[in-house]
Amino acid sequence: MDNGGLASDYCALTRKRTDGAHETALKSLNNWRQGVHVPNRRNFRLLTLLLQIEDGDDILPHWHRLYEEAQRRKPSNEQGNDKNGDATDLQELAPRITVGASRRSRRWPIAAVIAVAIVLVGGMGIGLIGWQKPEPQVVVRKKPEAGEPVIDMTGERIYWRELSEVRVGESVVIHAKRGRCGEQPPSWEETFEYLPELATGIWSDGGVGFRISRSCGGATPARAVVFTATRPGEERFMLYEDQITIRVDE
C-alpha cells in the first residue's frame, strides 16, 4: 500500500492544504503502520471514514476491537495521552468530515469497495492493507420539520449512551452536539445534516442542555440528539467519535 497516496487523500478529506501538511500526514501514517504510535481516537475515526469501514458490518466490530486492544497495550508513559505522538489534531475537523462519509451505502458489495486486512503491528500499531480509494458520494436529505420536542433537555445535563435498548414508539437521548467550548451548539438543522440515516427510527431535537467536557474543563452547552424507534432492528454507528449501538424490539 502506498502511504504517499493515502496521505494525499487524508489531507484532502481533512482540507489540509498548508505547506508541509502532506509530509506531516505521511509521518503519522508511517508511525502508525510501523507500530511506533497508536492513532488517537480522532485520527482513528478519520481512518474509519477514509476507508469506508463503517459500510462493512462484518469488518467494523473487529476494527474497533483491535484498536481497543492496541490502546491497552500502549506504554505506560503514553496512557492517558490521547495524542500519543500523532502529528495532527483533528478535534475541530472531525465533525466536518462526517457528512456523506458516515452514510451506510449499500450500492456495492463491501469487497468491491475495499479489502481491508487489519493487524496489530509490533503489538501496538494498526496496519491498513489493500485499500482502494472510495468514490465520493452525495447525500441529499430532507430537512427536519420543526415541532414540540419529544424529550426536552433544555438546561439539563446530557449523557452519551453507548447502548440503548428501546421498543417501537419509545424515544431516548443518544448523545449531544456541542460547539466550541463555552459557545452555543449548532442549530438543529445543521446538527441533523451530520446524523446517520437509520432504518430503525428517526432523529429529533432535544433542546440545548450541557455536557461535561474534559477538553473544555467542565460544562459546555450542547444540543441533545433524540432517537425515536419506528421499527425493530439493531444499528451500530459512530457519533461524535463515540461508538453507538441501538436495539429496537416490538
Side-chain angles (χ1 to χ4, degrees):
M1 178 179 175
D2 179 15
N3 277 353
L6 182 56
S8 297
D9 289 293
Y10 181 106
C11 292
L13 190 58
T14 56
R15 305 177 187 177
K16 287 283 190 177
R17 300 184 178 89
T18 59
D19 292 341
H22 184 272
E23 289 74 13
T24 299
L26 185 60
K27 178 181 177 181
S28 289
L29 288 164
N30 286 331
N31 285 339
W32 299 334
R33 297 199 68 194
Q34 293 171 14
V36 177
H37 296 298
V38 181
N40 67 23
R41 293 189 182 276
R42 298 185 187 97
N43 284 327
F44 173 71
R45 169 62 175 157
L46 177 61
L47 291 171
T48 303
L49 294 174
L50 186 63
L51 299 174
Q52 290 192 348
I53 290 176
E54 286 185 340
D55 286 346
D57 291 335
D58 54 338
I59 296 176
L60 187 61
H62 301 292
W63 176 257
H64 283 281
R65 177 178 58 80
L66 288 173
Y67 180 70
E68 293 303 327
E69 183 177 343
Q71 286 280 8
R72 289 193 296 270
R73 293 187 181 187
K74 288 192 301 185
S76 58
N77 63 344
E78 288 189 359
Q79 296 292 340
N81 180 2
D82 198 34
K83 291 185 179 181
N84 56 67
D86 285 6
T88 56
D89 184 356
L90 304 175
Q91 181 176 13
E92 301 302 329
L93 289 172
R96 293 190 297 171
I97 63 177
T98 57
V99 177
S102 65
R103 307 294 185 249
R104 289 176 173 261
S105 171
R106 291 292 180 264
R107 294 172 56 191
W108 308 281
I110 186 62
V113 180
I114 55 171
V116 180
I118 306 170
V119 295
L120 293 177
V121 181
M124 295 191 302
I126 294 181
L128 309 172
I129 304 172
W131 173 80
Q132 294 180 4
K133 182 178 178 179
E135 294 186 9
Q137 300 181 40
V138 178
V139 178
V140 179
R141 304 185 64 187
K142 181 181 178 181
K143 295 285 186 179
E145 297 181 0
E148 292 296 325
V150 179
I151 299 178
D152 190 355
M153 295 297 293
T154 301
E156 302 290 333
R157 180 175 178 177
I158 306 168
Y159 295 88
W160 154 54
R161 294 174 63 97
E162 182 177 6
L163 172 63
S164 295
E165 296 179 320
V166 297
R167 294 184 179 276
V168 172
E170 292 182 344
S171 300
V172 63
V173 177
I174 298 296
H175 215 317
K177 173 61 178 175
R178 68 173 179 86
R180 295 180 181 273
C181 295
E183 297 183 5
Q184 289 298 305
S187 67
W188 170 242
E189 288 74 14
E190 183 177 354
T191 301
F192 178 80
E193 290 295 329
Y194 290 79
L195 295 174
E197 295 183 14
L198 303 181
T200 58
I202 58 176
W203 299 110
S204 63
D205 184 8
V208 177
F210 65 92
R211 289 180 57 188
I212 303 299
S213 170
R214 288 185 299 174
S215 61
C216 294
T220 189
R223 183 175 300 280
V225 175
V226 178
F227 170 83
T228 300
T230 58
R231 66 179 64 181
E234 180 174 314
E235 308 269 11
R236 290 176 299 165
F237 55 93
M238 295 292 291
L239 185 61
Y240 310 137
E241 304 174 38
D242 292 320
Q243 180 72 33
I244 303 288
T245 299
I246 300 176
R247 293 173 185 158
V248 181
D249 294 325
E250 291 282 5

